[in-house]
Amino acid sequence: MKPKVNTVLVTGGSSGIGAATALLLAEKGMKVYAASRSGRAPEKEGIIPIVMDVNDPDSVRKALDGILSREASLDALVSCAGNGVGGDIETSSDEEVKYQFETNFFGLDKVVRACLPHFRGQGRGRIVTISSVAGFFPIPYQAYYSASKAAVLLYTKALRLEVRPFGLQCSCILPGDVKTGFTSARKMTAASDDPSSPYHDQVAKSIAKMAKDEQNGMPPKVIARAVLRQLRRRRMRTVCVPRFGYKALYVLGNILPESIIQRILSILYQ
Ligand SMILES: NC(=O)c1ccc[n+]([C@@H]2O[C@H](COP(=O)([O-])OP(=O)(O)OC[C@H]3O[C@@H](n4cnc5c(N)ncnc54)[C@H](OP(=O)(O)O)[C@@H]3O)[C@@H](O)[C@H]2O)c1
């Protein structure tokens, strides 16, 4: 029997993967609360835009209370809100490092923890987190982005074990390059952006390559379809890597010696 998923909260619903997910789920007849700081969302019947800053506990609480006061139940959370910081490790400031983890990891965790009592209380609930292939392969000059996404991956795996006894399920999706507003929203660390930095040229070259790959990447609806598949599966997959090429890389990454992986990454990004 297919799981019943009628009402879904999608964070990061104003743009890119979150917006595409909101659209697709609404197309399939689900009621979607699309949350973001701007409160923008694709205009479509079934999509309700809401304001939520995942880094502000009051904002998360208020948004969730608003949903639960209107709905008999919330069936799923799709956590897409995120951003990227480019720069080398040595010259990054504490603030820049914290900024990267704030939304991608601590923000995601805040929303998950806010939803769990409701999901546990109703004995069902589905959580999809968006990590990245960069959470599996370490990307130089985006080390904090990679680390924040690796944290999301392991967190989701551990969460899955913790909540299974209560009838809840989780899945972590690892997208490769996706053409979204993520590229233009990426912030560079101040020091690495300074031409006198010893890392300046490497960082600039590496981030330019990444930006180009992203803008030539797959459309966000590919990831939206992967989210939909997980929400509909009787048993959600622990990890899901959309598109054959990225899936193959993920499988190889689990088999190849680290020395070869490091060699390939240095050719690609240094
Ligand atoms: N694009 C890629 O190549 C790629 C690859 C792998 C993984 N990902 C991951 O996919 C997720 C979605 O990224 P995207 O590519 O769709 O980027 P995007 O187009 O820039 O969308 C990011 C979304 O996050 C929201 N957001 C940012 N900070 C927020 C906060 N504090 N509170 C609430 N919402 C916040 C933004 O809305 P507001 O600005 O209105 O708040 C926006 O809706 C991210 O986690 C990203 O790391 C992207």
Side-chain angles (χ1 to χ4, degrees):
M1 198 175 72
K2 277 192 176 174
K4 254 179 53 185
V5 179
N6 297 322
T7 309
V8 184
L9 167 60
V10 177
T11 72
S14 64
S15 173
I17 293 171
T21 300
L23 268 175
L24 182 64
L25 301 187
E27 252 170 57
K28 300 296 171 189
M30 298 178 200
K31 191 186 237 187
V32 182
Y33 285 88
S36 64
R37 292 165 304 178
S38 64
R40 284 195 288 269
E43 279 183 33
K44 180 168 177 58
E45 201 188 327
I47 299 182
I48 302 155
I50 54 168
V51 175
M52 180 200 280
D53 180 346
V54 299
N55 298 327
D56 175 354
D58 291 338
S59 169
V60 171
R61 186 72 270 148
K62 203 171 142 201
L64 202 60
D65 285 350
I67 297 172
L68 296 175
S69 67
R70 269 177 283 173
E71 302 298 335
S73 81
L74 177 66
D75 304 311
L77 163 67
V78 183
S79 202
C80 302
N83 57 36
V85 174
D88 59 277
I89 292 174
E90 181 182 337
T91 67
S92 292
S93 69
D94 288 352
E95 289 67 33
E96 287 162 341
V97 174
K98 282 185 189 145
Y99 171 82
Q100 182 61 102
F101 274 82
E102 198 62 49
T103 306
N104 288 7
F105 181 71
F106 294 114
L108 175 146
D109 171 57
K110 271 190 199 69
V111 183
V112 167
R113 279 189 287 125
C115 289
L116 281 179
H118 173 75
F119 288 157
R120 198 172 38 73
Q122 68 187 10
R124 66 190 167 80
R126 295 183 160 234
I127 298 172
V128 179
T129 59
I130 306 293
S131 172
S132 170
V133 168
F136 183 71
F137 291 106
I139 309 297
Y141 314 116
Q142 293 190 74
Y144 298 109
Y145 178 72
S146 261
S148 72
K149 291 296 180 180
V152 169
L153 175 58
L154 277 196
Y155 168 93
T156 310
K157 289 183 182 180
L159 177 69
R160 187 177 161 100
L161 292 168
E162 289 189 18
V163 300
R164 194 170 48 178
F166 301 107
L168 318 187
Q169 294 199 50
C170 317
S171 179
C172 187
I173 297 190
L174 275 58
D177 294 313
V178 187
K179 188 175 161 76
T180 68
F182 183 85
T183 311
S184 59
R186 179 185 282 115
K187 289 193 175 157
M188 299 303 296
T189 60
S192 73
D193 226 10
D194 179 344
S196 69
S197 161
Y199 293 96
H200 175 271
D201 293 356
Q202 276 307 328
V203 172
K205 192 174 136 207
S206 181
I207 297 291
K209 172 164 187 349
M210 181 60 83
K212 193 171 161 207
D213 289 347
E214 285 161 3
Q215 288 311 296
N216 289 324
M218 60 189 127
K221 68 173 178 226
V222 174
I223 311 302
R225 282 193 213 114
V227 172
L228 176 67
R229 273 196 301 276
Q230 292 312 311
L231 292 180
R232 284 181 161 173
R233 280 180 71 90
R234 197 174 63 80
R235 187 171 298 168
M236 292 170 82
R237 285 197 198 289
T238 310
V239 176
C240 165
V241 186
R243 281 267 161 112
F244 177 77
Y246 291 108
K247 204 173 285 172
L249 276 178
Y250 177 73
V251 171
L252 280 176
N254 278 299
I255 298 169
L256 290 174
E258 189 60 32
S259 56
I260 295 183
I261 294 173
Q262 290 271 321
R263 182 85 193 108
I264 295 169
L265 289 169
S266 80
I267 291 167
L268 284 175
Y269 297 111
Q270 282 192 303

